[in-house]
Amino acid sequence: MSSASISTREHRERTLLVFFYVALTLTAVIWFAPIVMLVFTALKSAGDFAIHGALAIPESIAWANFSDAWETGVKDYFWNSVIIASIKVPLGVVIEAMAAFALTHIPFRWANKIFILILLGLIVPIQMALVPLTIVMNALNLIDTRTGLTLLYLGFGVPFGVLIMRGFFRTIPTELIEAAKIDGCSYGRIFLQIALPLALPAVLSLCILDGVATWNEFILAQIFLRSDELRTLPLGLVNFSTQFSTEYNQLAAAVLISLVPVIIVFLFFQRYFVSGMAGAVK
Amino acid sequence: MVSAPTSTGELRAAGPGKRLGWLLPWLFLTPALTIYGIVVVYPMVYSAYLSFFKWDGVSPTKQFVGLQNYLTLLLNDPVFWIALRNNAIWLVASLLLPTSIGLGLAVLLNQKFRSSHIFRSVFYFPAILSLAIVGLIWNWIYLPDIGLINQILGALGLTGLQHNWLSDPNFALYAVMLAATWNATGLPMLLYLAGLQTINPEVLEAAKVDGAGPMRRFFSITFPLLRETTLIVLAITAINSLKVYDIIYAMTYGGPANQTQVLSTWMYFMTYNYNSVGQGTAIAVILFLLTLIFAVPYVRIMGRS
């Protein structure tokens, strides 16, 4: 092959790539447009929105939208979500790590069957569980309570958590465990002093993925919470929008407030998102 | 204390509690299994049981009706078939759109260029939003007068193309699907990015030197090597698509005139709006069985030890 033909091919490849990247940038701009619209809407005053519509850049920044939204209920929704997530996530991670550890490093006959049973939980549509759960929760007086909802989240979170932690624990070489056993360590000590510290990145990933999922959860909250002051953010926002259906600027501000923690986590802990997801496929 | 080498399968933990060694894994498993059993397993089984009864959810008596609920759904309930059809449309669209877009994005973003991280964040961002919020945002985009889409169409002079997107039975489902795709593309993109990392770049370099263009390289080398990732992406996408609920609830509530019902929302209506628990749980069982079909490959891959 002459150097001339190599460079024409390279030239052609490069123009192809340039074309793709221009298309990529354009796509990214369109892709992000709804978010930009959301931000603009949240910053506009009601009059500005009615006159200029969704596309225009805000005339002036109406910070009041945020404080109004906060006062009219978002602050309750926000704190409910925070409380539930900050209890559910650590608790969930602990019990899921324990279960995953047993399934990977404690040899016993039922390990694989139990794992499959747990995995089935990922497949089950929540609708399959709703009616009996309502009965059980009613009997335990847990309907319309944050505790009740937290317990539900814990139960439904088991499959994913065990999946992620198991994926990670499988990468710990058995020789390490064996060596500890020979040295006289109980499984409890192995778990606490060897496996868990090694699994810190996976634990962090799970905390983040699970935290975001809990923050975003809608169905269970919708069915098992009734009082307005107990509502979590997604539920509260949907109700907010049916109540104040045309006050788009306030609604948009409310939505943005609810996105703040998620955005922070996303920006600063992005690699844990990615590695956590990768763990779901190993 | 050194324990003698044990035969495989025999549990012998060194240290205290040797005789109760068999109990050990169960101690680790109990908390998770207990809450999981109470919240997920038991209700599942009980739901299947309830599907054979006629019950309004409140009265103390239930009436055993055998397969009647299922028969009524299949033979007498037109909305059931609308819901099933919509699930099928949703499933096919999910298996085609977010997956291939995600793959394309992953391939493009896998090249190491400086701003790839920014692009990755931009494309993944909608995936971290609550589906209820995605529904709200796109509700506003689809508003007939001041929504983004109709405004842009108007600005381009295409007023003929403006529609009442969510109230028009011809467009409603697809409008919601577009919003869902916006959210659903992030995950396949991430999974494919992870999968692409496992491909040895030298193989691609060699192909490049041999004269293969980017398309050739992709279809002959990259894509075949992504087989397992693709299987997982498809399985996860299929399972998630059958479970769709939040976004339809938030955007159309099953309407207009039940045209955007899917099995999960119709189950909700049946159970909570019409108080027909037996039929509602029957729908849920059917949904579960359908999901199971797609879950088998996923479970089989993950269940390998």
Side-chain angles (χ1 to χ4, degrees):
Chain A
M1 256 177 268
S2 71
S3 56
S5 68
I6 291 182
S7 69
T8 11
R9 198 178 1 101
E10 270 188 14
H11 186 253
R12 208 173 356 119
E13 268 196 33
R14 222 174 297 152
T15 28
L16 198 64
L17 274 179
V18 167
F19 169 72
F20 273 128
Y21 288 117
V22 165
L24 188 68
T25 315
L26 223 56
T27 314
V29 166
I30 299 178
W31 193 266
F32 213 63
I35 305 290
V36 174
M37 175 204 83
L38 181 72
V39 174
F40 281 177
T41 310
L43 294 176
K44 290 183 184 154
S45 64
D48 187 353
F49 186 80
I51 300 175
H52 299 287
L55 273 180
I57 301 181
E59 283 181 331
S60 56
I61 301 195
W63 296 113
N65 289 338
F66 293 92
S67 47
D68 286 345
W70 183 257
E71 288 306 315
T72 12
V74 174
K75 79 171 165 225
D76 289 330
Y77 307 149
F78 193 90
W79 288 123
N80 289 329
S81 284
V82 166
I83 294 173
I84 292 182
S86 47
I87 297 185
K88 188 266 168 188
V89 173
L91 203 51
V93 170
V94 166
I95 65 176
E96 288 145 20
M98 280 169 56
F101 177 72
L103 291 177
T104 50
H105 286 295
I106 304 182
F108 73 112
R109 207 163 18 134
W110 304 97
N112 216 39
K113 296 196 186 64
I114 293 194
F115 177 57
I116 301 224
L117 177 68
I118 292 181
L119 210 50
L120 279 181
L122 277 179
I123 302 158
V124 166
I126 292 198
Q127 283 74 22
M128 269 287 277
L130 285 182
V131 174
L133 274 180
T134 319
I135 301 176
V136 169
M137 298 279 282
N138 238 330
L140 295 174
N141 262 328
L142 285 175
I143 300 237
D144 208 22
T145 60
R146 283 184 291 236
T147 316
L149 193 61
T150 309
L151 289 173
L152 291 182
Y153 285 167
L154 273 174
F156 281 104
V158 164
F160 186 69
V162 169
L163 182 67
I164 298 280
M165 294 310 301
R166 171 184 181 270
F168 184 83
F169 280 140
R170 275 179 9 143
T171 65
I172 300 182
T174 30
E175 296 83 39
L176 204 57
I177 313 284
E178 289 302 316
K181 281 201 323 213
I182 292 177
D183 280 347
C185 278
S186 67
Y187 276 114
R189 274 186 64 190
I190 299 180
F191 176 66
L192 286 173
Q193 295 182 338
I194 302 181
L196 217 44
L198 279 180
L200 222 40
V203 167
L204 225 51
S205 286
L206 183 57
C207 281
I208 287 172
L209 291 172
D210 195 26
V212 171
T214 308
W215 189 260
N216 288 344
E217 205 280 336
F218 179 72
I219 305 181
L220 293 174
Q222 186 225 339
I223 295 192
F224 291 97
L225 289 178
R226 308 282 159 77
S227 334
D228 189 55
E229 61 267 10
L230 286 181
R231 291 202 167 108
T232 53
L233 270 175
L235 186 59
L237 289 174
V238 170
N239 271 287
F240 216 59
S241 83
T242 32
Q243 261 192 308
F244 302 101
S245 56
T246 49
E247 308 200 20
Y248 299 110
N249 51 336
Q250 264 201 42
L251 290 171
V255 169
L256 273 187
I257 295 177
S258 79
L259 291 185
V260 165
V262 178
I263 293 179
I264 293 179
V265 165
F266 182 63
L267 284 180
F268 291 111
F269 297 101
Q270 226 191 76
R271 62 190 179 105
Y272 291 107
F273 256 106
V274 181
S275 58
M277 276 293 141
V281 303
K282 296 237 170 65
Chain B
M1 163 168 79
V2 177
S3 50
T6 62
S7 57
T8 50
E10 189 185 310
L11 174 64
R12 191 78 68 93
K18 261 205 300 198
R19 259 195 313 171
L20 293 175
W22 65 270
L23 197 53
L24 207 49
W26 298 103
L27 286 179
F28 275 85
L29 285 167
T30 299
L33 282 184
T34 311
I35 189 86
Y36 176 66
I38 297 178
V39 172
V40 182
V41 180
Y42 162 72
M44 254 183 69
V45 174
Y46 193 58
S47 268
Y49 170 74
L50 280 179
S51 68
F52 298 115
F53 287 80
K54 188 170 141 104
W55 190 37
D56 62 358
V58 194
S59 58
T61 53
K62 315 181 193 33
Q63 186 194 352
F64 179 75
V65 289
L67 290 176
Q68 171 100 349
N69 288 325
Y70 292 93
L71 290 174
T72 315
L73 284 175
L74 293 174
L75 302 173
N76 261 342
D77 187 355
V79 182
F80 174 79
W81 291 102
I82 296 179
L84 192 59
R85 179 204 74 191
N86 287 341
N87 270 120
I89 298 177
W90 197 280
L91 178 65
V92 170
S94 305
L95 289 177
L96 291 177
L97 287 175
T99 46
S100 49
I101 301 177
L103 175 57
L105 289 174
V107 168
L108 285 176
L109 296 181
N110 197 36
Q111 323 288 325
K112 304 295 185 282
F113 61 100
R114 242 182 328 186
S115 38
S116 64
H117 279 287
I118 303 183
F119 278 112
R120 198 176 64 184
S121 303
V122 164
F123 285 109
Y124 189 64
F125 186 73
I128 64 174
L129 302 177
S130 169
L131 276 171
I133 290 186
V134 171
L136 283 182
I137 294 179
W138 283 82
N139 271 347
W140 301 335
I141 293 179
Y142 286 127
L143 284 173
D145 297 315
I146 46 181
L148 198 60
I149 294 204
N150 279 350
Q151 279 212 316
I152 294 182
L153 287 177
L156 292 175
L158 296 166
T159 45
L161 286 179
Q162 289 176 334
H163 288 262
N164 215 322
W165 302 101
L166 293 175
S167 320
D168 188 331
N170 290 321
F171 292 107
L173 186 68
Y174 301 101
V176 180
M177 274 182 0
L178 179 62
T181 305
W182 183 69
N183 162 276
T185 301
L187 181 56
M189 181 185 79
L190 264 199
L191 293 178
Y192 273 122
L193 273 173
L196 284 171
Q197 307 280 347
T198 64
I199 295 183
N200 190 347
E202 293 179 16
V203 178
L204 289 166
E205 273 307 309
K208 203 168 174 183
V209 166
D210 279 348
M215 284 292 162
R216 250 321 269 296
R217 292 201 298 269
F218 176 73
F219 284 107
S220 308
I221 303 179
T222 316
F223 192 57
L225 283 177
L226 285 174
R227 228 195 60 165
E228 190 169 303
T229 312
T230 302
L231 223 61
I232 292 188
V233 165
L234 289 180
I236 294 183
T237 304
I239 295 172
N240 283 339
S241 91
L242 286 169
K243 293 207 256 174
V244 65
Y245 176 87
D246 314 42
I247 196 169
I248 296 187
Y249 186 94
M251 289 184 81
T252 54
Y253 197 57
N258 286 331
Q259 288 307 307
T260 58
Q261 290 283 7
V262 284
L263 290 175
S264 54
T265 53
W266 190 228
M267 183 269 176
Y268 176 85
F269 270 62
M270 206 47 106
T271 310
Y272 295 99
N273 292 354
Y274 304 136
N275 292 321
S276 179
V277 171
Q279 282 189 284
T281 45
I283 298 177
V285 169
I286 295 177
L287 182 57
F288 172 62
L289 293 175
L290 286 175
T291 320
L292 209 51
I293 299 177
F294 292 95
V296 166
Y298 181 67
V299 173
R300 264 206 296 174
I301 293 182
M302 301 304 291
R304 295 184 259 130
S305 28

